[in-house]
Every structure is written in C-alpha cells, then in structure tokens.
Amino acid sequence: MKSGFLSFLTKTGIAMAFCLSCISAKAQNNSDFWSRVRFGGAIGASFGNNYTDVTLAPGALYEVNEYYGVGLSLQGTYVQQKDFYESWMYGGSIINVFNPIPQIQISAELEQLRVNLDFDERYTDFYGNQDRDFWNTALFLGAGYRAQNVTFGIRYNVLFNDNDYVYSEAWMPFIRIYF
C-alpha cells in the first residue's frame, strides 16, 4: 500500500510540474496571471485513544475576478484505529468559489480520492474482505463567511455514502485559507 502511495505521489508530482510549466510559459505573456493565484490549503491532525488521523491538502486558487475563483488541490490522509483498521486516502479536487459580496462565499468542490482500507483480521467476518481499495467521489456544496484570506463555513457532500467509510457525516465544517 505504501509503495502505491509513493507511486501516486510521483506521478502526480510529474503531472503537476508539467502543468505548472505550461501555465508558467503562458503566464510569461500575461504578468497579471500570478498576481491572481492564491496558495493555501489545509493541514490537520487528530490523536486520541489508539486513534490517529493526519491530513495534508495543499491547494491553489485562481481569482478570475473579485466574484469568482477556480482552484485545484491535492490531498493525502492517513487514518488508523488500533486493532480495527488502517486507511490511506489520496487524490485531488477542483473547487469553484463565488463571492456575491466580499463577506459571503458559496462553493462547489468535486473531490476524487483513492481509498486503501485495511481492516484488522478479526473483523473479516463482519466486513468481508480485509482489504478494500476503491475510488470515492464527493461533491461538496458549501457556504461560508469570508474575512480577507480566511473563510469559515459548512459544506454538504451530495454524494455521501455511509458504507464507504470515508466520511462519517455528509455535513462538514471547513476553514479555507489562501494567501
């Protein structure tokens, strides 16, 4: 599973480098391009009673104008509940944000994650095969309050499936930070 994750990161890095070089070549003709790009993302860690959840999700947002922006992000997550399961999730998303007024942000985000879920062998009877490797698609519609570079809000996963063990709820709070 770990070698698959490293292979994914390598392929993704090469693809992003290629895309950025194409954008950079195009941007040389338009010096305004990079002044409209904002970088940010999310980082998170949660630790509890035999539980670990670590996420890294860098992203970039291009502000088309003062009302609309479009962006890309990558995500890598590791979750483990000792003696129950271990999961690696990695992928990316495309986000659209609309600011009808500067303080309000409405968003739509399409996320595609590869999920590698390994249950402890003691749960095979209940969960079936110990290993589940699948793609999970999420479509989040959200709204939030925006103060300069930070947006606080809530989003709803329209494609939520409780049986995928990816997210525990369809509703999720979020904090977006772009500089």
Side-chain angles (χ1 to χ4, degrees):
M1 179 171 23
K2 292 179 184 176
S3 65
F5 181 69
L6 293 176
S7 175
F8 170 79
L9 286 178
T10 303
K11 291 176 184 175
T12 303
I14 291 169
M16 285 193 64
F18 176 76
C19 291
L20 288 175
S21 67
C22 292
I23 291 170
S24 179
K26 174 91 172 141
Q28 290 176 358
N29 297 334
N30 184 2
S31 61
D32 190 44
F33 176 84
W34 288 109
S35 67
R36 293 174 174 261
V37 176
R38 304 288 178 248
F39 294 97
I43 186 169
S46 177
F47 304 97
N49 187 16
N50 296 319
Y51 179 80
T52 303
D53 184 342
V54 180
T55 297
L56 180 61
L61 183 73
Y62 177 75
E63 293 177 332
V64 175
N65 57 40
E66 63 185 290
Y67 302 105
Y68 176 71
V70 61
L72 297 171
S73 70
L74 294 175
Q75 177 180 331
T77 299
Y78 173 75
V79 181
Q80 179 199 33
Q81 176 70 46
K82 186 177 179 185
D83 298 326
F84 183 43
Y85 73 94
E86 177 181 49
S87 178
W88 287 91
M89 294 178 275
Y90 48 90
S93 66
I94 299 170
I95 188 168
N96 288 280
V97 296
F98 177 66
N99 303 300
I101 60 173
Q103 296 82 13
I104 301 295
Q105 185 175 90
I106 299 168
S107 62
E109 182 176 5
L110 181 63
E111 175 186 85
Q112 184 72 45
L113 293 179
R114 179 67 179 173
V115 180
N116 303 117
L117 179 61
D118 297 329
F119 286 103
D120 189 271
E121 58 203 33
R122 291 174 279 187
Y123 296 95
T124 303
D125 292 339
F126 185 74
Y127 291 103
N129 185 1
Q130 291 171 238
D131 298 328
R132 288 188 61 206
D133 298 325
F134 61 95
W135 287 98
N136 184 72
T137 303
L139 176 59
F140 295 103
L141 302 178
Y145 174 76
R146 183 175 167 215
Q148 295 183 5
N149 297 334
V150 181
T151 304
F152 301 89
I154 190 154
R155 63 188 190 165
Y156 179 76
N157 183 356
V158 176
L159 304 176
F160 176 74
N161 183 348
D162 194 33
N163 295 325
D164 284 339
Y165 306 106
V166 176
Y167 297 111
S168 59
E169 298 280 333
W171 290 97
M172 286 187 216
F174 70 82
I175 301 173
R176 278 191 203 104
I177 302 173
Y178 286 101
F179 299 99

